[in-house]
Amino acid sequence: MPYPYVLLSAAVSLDGYLDDTGPERLLLSGPADFDRVDEVRASVDAILVGAGTIRADNPRLLVNSPERRAARVADGLPEYPLKVTVSGSGDLDPAARFWHTGGEKVLYTTDKGAERARALGIAADVVPLGDALDWRRLLEHLHEVRGVRRLMVEGGGRIHTQLVTQGLADELQVVLAPLFVGDPDAPRLFGPGSYQGGRLRLVETRPVGDVVLTRYEPTVPGTGALPSAADRHWLALACDLAGQCPPSETAFSVGAVVVAADGTELARGHSREGDDPVVHAEEAALAKADPTDPRLAGATVYSSLEPCARRASRPAPCARLILDAGVRRVVTAWREPDTFVTDADGSAVLADGGATVLVLPEFEQRAKAPNAHLLGG
């Protein structure tokens, strides 16, 4: 099931702390960055904080600018984004400002936590997730039931850690403040955990007043059948590459990217690339990779269209080329229709060869766009 785009937002000291241990909240940002955060809040469908943040900071989590709220309403959106929190116990103060300001609220909790929250009279839609909290179920519910497409997560550190270590954060927006905390008992942005290896991709860096904003995207593919946020980024790139294909009336426009397990891009390609009028995207990409590269065994191939199982122009279909290269994980946006090949099933060929195939249907329309002339659209 599709998830919202998950954006983590936080401000930290130069030594990596979210706060100090004093009785008052440490203000790490200045007026210019508070206004930037307000702008980001106005751009999302929902804002999430953990129960610990509600207990420690008693936040309102509002869009403060009247102009931005008016613009949301003019666009047919609620004046305020949906406010979301997570608590395994359901033990929250019903008088907290979180519940009594802004628009709609949702509390995700356990079955037992839901009983406690309802008994306390928490003014929110209480959604139990079973015996334990499950971030994937939570994100699926937000997307499918509440219509959330962009989710801003503002803390705390435990929530940020869980989303990053589970590969569910699409973007990190971290503001670095010019001060030190130095207290080992103070909360940090990220705690211990089983983080994926590899480097994140720097998207942006810029000063905002006296702080510096940095934006990062994950690069490390998921493992097995569980999609990660990085899988979505790489598949989006494959769909963009499909748009670079020379148009054809007899073949699909497809893009492909080969990515190592540490998030390193090994190769990319698209249909009819260069001076080869019949080359397929996966074929073009794999031809650029070193066949002796040991990283291929742990790599993922991202293709905007399911790799072909049969073809007339070359002896080896793309599904076979992928297996022969040693790749055992493929992420695609769209199963091949019967337009040119009846009962095409590259996924079955890949699965029979020991590969895991994921289809992310939220990218299907994006993958179809450069092929609309072949689909009657």
Side-chain angles (χ1 to χ4, degrees):
M1 297 289 287
Y3 305 145
Y5 183 95
V6 178
L7 182 162
L8 307 189
S9 176
V12 296
S13 64
L14 288 174
D15 50 348
Y17 289 95
L18 289 166
D19 199 357
D20 57 19
T21 54
E24 301 296 328
R25 175 70 175 170
L26 176 65
L27 297 181
L28 292 162
S29 297
D33 189 57
F34 288 134
D35 185 66
R36 181 196 64 82
V37 170
D38 195 65
E39 181 179 22
V40 177
R41 287 179 179 177
S43 72
V44 301
D45 301 303
I47 305 168
L48 183 149
V49 294
T53 299
I54 293 178
R55 296 185 187 107
D57 300 337
N58 196 21
R60 297 183 303 159
L61 293 183
L62 302 178
V63 175
N64 295 313
S65 165
E67 293 78 15
R68 290 177 182 136
R69 296 200 304 270
R72 285 179 57 88
V73 173
D75 289 339
L77 300 172
E79 183 178 10
Y80 295 99
L82 176 72
K83 295 202 295 189
V84 184
T85 191
V86 184
S87 169
S89 69
D91 187 12
L92 291 158
D93 182 0
R97 294 187 297 182
F98 181 90
W99 315 113
H100 303 288
T101 55
E104 294 185 54
K105 295 94 183 171
V106 179
L107 164 63
Y108 288 97
T109 182
T110 61
D111 292 342
K112 290 184 177 179
E115 294 177 6
R116 181 177 290 109
R118 288 167 179 150
L120 289 170
I122 297 295
D125 176 16
V126 179
V127 179
L129 296 174
D131 293 336
L133 295 173
D134 183 325
W135 278 108
R136 291 183 183 270
R137 284 189 62 192
L138 185 157
L139 293 174
E140 287 173 3
H141 188 276
L142 276 176
H143 188 277
E144 297 303 309
V145 178
R146 301 306 303 238
V148 173
R149 298 299 179 263
R150 288 182 63 85
L151 172 67
M152 181 182 186
V153 180
E154 295 198 40
R158 183 179 179 186
I159 299 293
H160 288 317
T161 298
Q162 290 173 350
L163 288 168
V164 170
T165 55
Q166 294 182 40
L168 297 173
D170 290 277
E171 178 181 340
L172 281 67
Q173 293 190 2
V174 180
V175 162
L176 191 62
L179 53 83
F180 295 94
V181 172
D183 187 337
D185 295 326
R188 288 186 174 272
L189 174 55
F190 295 114
S194 300
Y195 293 93
Q196 294 177 307
R199 300 173 71 88
L200 280 70
R201 180 185 297 108
L202 179 63
V203 177
E204 178 188 11
T205 179
R206 61 182 167 95
V208 184
D210 69 343
V211 303
V212 176
L213 167 68
T214 55
R215 293 175 53 225
Y216 289 95
E217 290 179 349
T219 62
V220 174
T223 56
L226 285 178
S228 72
D231 286 333
R232 296 192 288 274
H233 286 291
W234 289 116
L235 188 56
L237 173 58
C239 292
D240 290 343
L241 290 170
Q244 298 180 19
C245 300
S248 172
E249 295 296 329
T250 58
F252 289 113
S253 293
V254 183
V257 190
V258 185
V259 182
D262 66 355
T264 301
E265 180 181 329
L266 301 180
R268 65 173 70 182
H270 60 77
S271 304
R272 301 176 294 283
E273 184 174 350
D275 58 0
D276 190 338
V278 296
V279 72
H280 286 195
E282 302 92 332
E283 180 184 19
L286 288 169
K288 299 171 189 173
D290 179 356
T292 65
D293 191 334
R295 294 175 295 178
L296 285 172
T300 296
V301 167
Y302 298 90
S303 180
S304 61
L305 176 65
E306 176 186 42
C308 62
R310 301 192 304 277
R311 62 188 293 189
S313 58
R314 296 277 162 82
C318 291
R320 176 49 53 192
L321 294 174
I322 290 169
L323 293 172
D324 289 348
V327 176
R328 292 298 180 266
R329 187 170 186 267
V330 176
V331 179
T332 185
W334 175 33
R335 296 293 299 272
E336 184 178 355
D338 293 340
T339 308
F340 301 115
V341 179
T342 304
D343 297 324
D345 194 357
S347 295
V349 174
L350 290 163
D352 289 344
T356 298
V357 182
L358 281 73
V359 180
L360 303 186
E362 60 265 41
F363 289 90
E364 181 174 326
Q365 293 306 313
R366 191 165 174 177
K368 285 181 174 179
N371 298 288
H373 63 291
L374 300 173
L375 304 170

